Each structure stands twice: as structure tokens, then as C-alpha cells.
Amino acid sequence: MEGVLEYIKQNNMIKSGEIIGVACSGGRDSISLLHFLNSIKSELDCEVVAVNVDHGIRTTSALDTEFVMQFCKDHHIRAYKFKAEALKVAKEEKLTIEQAARKVRYGIFETVIKKGLVDKIALAHHLNDQAETVLLNIVRGAGLNGARGMEPIRDNVYIRPLLTTPREEIMSYLDEYGLEFVEDETNK
């Protein structure tokens, strides 16, 4: 992930002394981002912590949280874990499961920021996600604004350090460092 540090610096994503919460599900993208940011934290003069949200959608989701907590323990990374009820929110608010999961996840992110536990949340969206977002927005008729896709920084607190990194590079990084990750069966 050669260009990630430069991308972070070019976009002034992380300031000295900040606490960066990495949204970490335990999947390949978030594990690679967490590991990478933790490996360069002294160069960026920041602290890196994990923020894990168990949406309560799958029966195996608690195992994913356990995986993240163990990964953080093994790599000496402070971690916060939260349990949400996305299915209940979806039913009560007549949302899709994906919409409800996003709503509860971002609600948790906002809470940890407001409480001062973190200054920013790093999201593991990468180049392939960006391409998918642009295509979906064009199909939906979003026009030129939608065709731009995701921004590297949103609302001054959500950062996407991997936005120019292709999935293949993330996979190579995982292989290079022998990093394990969990596979969310609902992604299939």
C-alpha cells in the first residue's frame, strides 16, 4: 500500500496528536487499514484505535467481534466494541437492513467522537468501492455530483485513506504481513 501514506499527507487527513478510530469489522479491508495505520502512527504522530460494531444481523457476528478484539490485543491496539440492533431499527423505522446497519453504525461513530474517545473515524473504502459508488450514482441519475463518488474526507471527521488503493494491493498487503481476517457470509 505504497501510496496510502502520501494520500493521507496530501489530503491532510490526520493531524498531529489526533486519535484515529478505525471502523473495523474484521474483514480484509478494515484489518489491512487498521494494521497499516498502526504501523505508521509514530510517523503521523497519532494514536490508532479500533471501533467495532456488531450490528446483530448475523448469528456469527459476535465471533467477528471476538476476532477483532483478539487482533487488537495481539497488536497492542486499544479497541472499543459496540453491539447494535440493526434488525430492530430496520423494522421500527421501515428501513432496509443495510440502511438500518448504516444508521446505527454512524450513530455509534458520532457518539465516540462526541465523547472524545476519537477525533476521526477512518473508513476502509478503497478504489474498487469508489468505482462501484460512481457507477451506482450514475445509474441512479445523480448527475455530475454523484459521478464524483466518495470524498477522501467527509464532515471533517470521516477519512478514507484507502480510496485510491485497489483491492489487489490490499490483498497483497494482507499476504505480505500474514494477516488473517474474517469473511462476512452476507457479502457473498
Side-chain angles (χ1 to χ4, degrees), residues 43-172:
E43 186 171 345
L44 293 172
D45 188 32
C46 69
E47 183 181 352
V48 174
V49 302
V51 179
N52 174 266
V53 178
D54 177 351
H55 297 89
I57 296 171
R58 298 174 292 112
T59 56
T60 58
S61 61
L63 297 174
D64 296 354
T65 294
E66 285 179 33
F67 172 83
V68 171
M69 294 301 115
Q70 187 61 51
F71 181 91
C72 290
K73 183 178 178 184
D74 293 346
H75 292 87
H76 311 288
I77 300 169
R78 187 161 42 105
Y80 299 104
K81 65 179 179 176
F82 300 91
K83 176 87 168 147
E85 294 186 35
L87 294 174
K88 181 180 175 186
V89 171
K91 185 176 181 179
E92 289 174 355
E93 299 186 24
K94 295 180 177 36
L95 300 171
T96 66
I97 293 171
E98 292 81 11
Q99 290 169 328
R102 186 178 197 284
K103 181 175 183 166
V104 298
R105 183 171 56 251
Y106 277 86
I108 289 168
F109 295 160
E110 289 172 22
T111 299
V112 296
I113 291 167
K114 284 179 186 168
K115 287 187 174 184
L117 299 176
V118 302
D119 296 300
K120 291 180 179 160
I121 297 287
L123 304 168
H125 297 123
H126 51 76
L127 186 61
N128 301 59
D129 296 325
Q130 179 75 309
E132 182 180 310
T133 298
V134 170
L135 285 173
L136 283 172
N137 287 343
I138 289 170
V139 168
R140 289 180 184 145
L144 292 178
N145 283 343
R148 281 200 327 247
M150 295 178 276
E151 297 291 328
I153 302 171
R154 194 189 70 176
D155 301 333
N156 293 316
V157 292
Y158 297 103
I159 61 173
R160 295 181 176 100
L162 300 180
L163 207 51
T164 59
T165 306
R167 166 152 280 162
E168 298 76 29
E169 203 171 317
I170 292 168
M171 296 303 291
S172 294

Side-chain angles (χ1 to χ4, degrees), residues 16-53:
S16 178
E18 286 186 323
I19 302 170
I20 306 302
V22 178
C24 189
S25 65
R28 67 174 60 103
D29 304 333
S30 63
I31 284 291
S32 61
L33 178 60
L34 179 61
H35 185 271
F36 180 77
L37 289 179
N38 193 55
S39 74
I40 62 167
K41 66 184 179 187
S42 58
E43 186 171 345
L44 293 172
D45 188 32
C46 69
E47 183 181 352
V48 174
V49 302
V51 179
N52 174 266
V53 178

